[in-house]
Amino acid sequence: MIRYLSIPLLAVSLSACVSTPSPEPAAPSQSSVSAPTSANAEQAARQFVKVVQTVEPVAEAECRARTTDLNCDFNIVVDDRPGQAPNAFQTLDKNGRPVLAFNIPLIATVRNADELAFVMGHEAAHHIQEHLARQQVNATAGALIFGGLAAITGGGEQIVQTAQQVGATVGARGYSKDFELEADRLGTVISHKAGYDPVRGAAFFTRIPDPGNTFLGTHPPNALRINTVRKTAAKL
Ligand SMILES: [Zn+2]
């Protein structure tokens, strides 16, 4: 597995929300993903920080508008465990604060800010729609994170935290197909309100392995997800 950024790496175990097993062949019209140079890595990190700064306040406002008594203070973290496929997930820390985690391969392989914003909106939506509480699941604990990306913003306030810093227990789990589509709909609204193009963002699905309509698959077929985003965006 390629290491996209040269940073200290820490180990652990965990699973997925935007499960993207292995790099897929690129869409025919696009060039394939190659190992980013350090300049690309820096650009990816800057893009990530920018998307965090723009999407987080919108997600928080949407959370407060749609819920009562729910902790809407999102903590966005980076999962730097090595050897992972691109992945993002939502969980709660031990104090009940919502955590949105993105790993480095995902940050490095999204094609544009719209894709990253859409994934971020989707993960925030899982929390706002209380999918964890609505789905009885066992937590898979443990992810260790790094805070180095925050320094790239130039010494301002640290917007990207580590799980260790906040004492978070970070776990991930798969949701049902219905919850995934629900999160895609609200994720479309959030990324649109944050100024991004959710339809362009959903193009991310065209490059990840399609779970198809398998009986036990936890994720909906990619075409269904894209269609859901298009329909939702058309009403905005
Ligand atoms: Zn999801």
Side-chain angles (χ1 to χ4, degrees):
M1 183 86 195
I2 297 158
R3 279 172 55 176
Y4 290 90
L5 297 174
S6 62
I7 50 164
L9 295 171
L10 301 162
V12 184
S13 67
L14 164 88
S15 63
C17 177
V18 176
S19 61
T20 58
S22 56
E24 275 277 286
S29 61
Q30 310 274 11
S31 61
S32 63
V33 176
S34 56
T37 62
S38 61
N40 287 344
E42 184 174 327
Q43 190 181 22
R46 283 182 189 282
Q47 175 176 263
F48 178 71
V49 169
K50 174 116 192 296
V51 170
V52 168
Q53 286 172 327
T54 47
V55 172
E56 195 281 335
V58 174
E60 185 170 329
E62 204 65 24
C63 178
R64 294 190 195 289
R66 290 172 182 257
T67 67
T68 50
D69 300 328
L70 192 67
N71 187 333
C72 293
D73 186 16
F74 289 102
N75 189 18
I76 298 176
V77 302
V78 176
D79 171 1
D80 76 335
R81 288 165 305 130
Q84 304 290 306
N87 189 27
F89 58 87
Q90 174 262 324
T91 189
L92 299 172
D93 73 14
K94 63 183 180 185
N95 299 316
R97 187 179 179 192
V99 175
L100 308 181
F102 300 82
N103 74 4
I104 293 164
L106 183 125
I107 291 167
T109 57
V110 291
R111 287 251 164 86
N112 51 58
D114 296 306
E115 292 189 355
L116 195 53
F118 178 77
V119 174
M120 209 168 282
H122 172 99
E123 298 304 331
H126 276 310
H127 175 66
I128 296 167
Q129 295 167 321
E130 300 187 71
H131 289 164
L132 273 181
R134 290 163 62 195
Q135 180 162 287
Q136 292 287 341
V137 288
N138 295 319
T140 307
L144 295 175
I145 312 293
F146 78 101
L149 280 176
I152 292 170
T153 61
E157 74 178 297
Q158 187 164 325
I159 59 161
V160 180
Q161 291 195 313
T162 74
Q164 283 181 311
Q165 283 172 329
V166 298
T169 298
V170 181
R173 46 221 108 193
Y175 292 114
S176 70
K177 291 179 185 181
D178 286 347
F179 286 172
E180 290 303 332
L181 292 174
E182 209 174 273
D184 283 342
R185 282 191 284 272
L186 182 52
T188 298
V189 172
I190 290 170
S191 59
H192 173 81
K193 285 188 175 177
Y196 295 96
D197 180 344
V199 174
R200 191 163 179 250
F204 182 67
F205 296 131
T206 63
R207 299 196 312 278
I208 64 177
D210 193 336
N213 224 346
T214 53
F215 178 59
L216 291 173
T218 58
H219 282 67
N222 290 339
L224 179 57
R225 300 186 70 175
I226 291 167
N227 198 30
T228 299
V229 172
R230 281 189 196 284
K231 276 194 201 159
T232 305
K235 292 181 203 151
L236 296 174

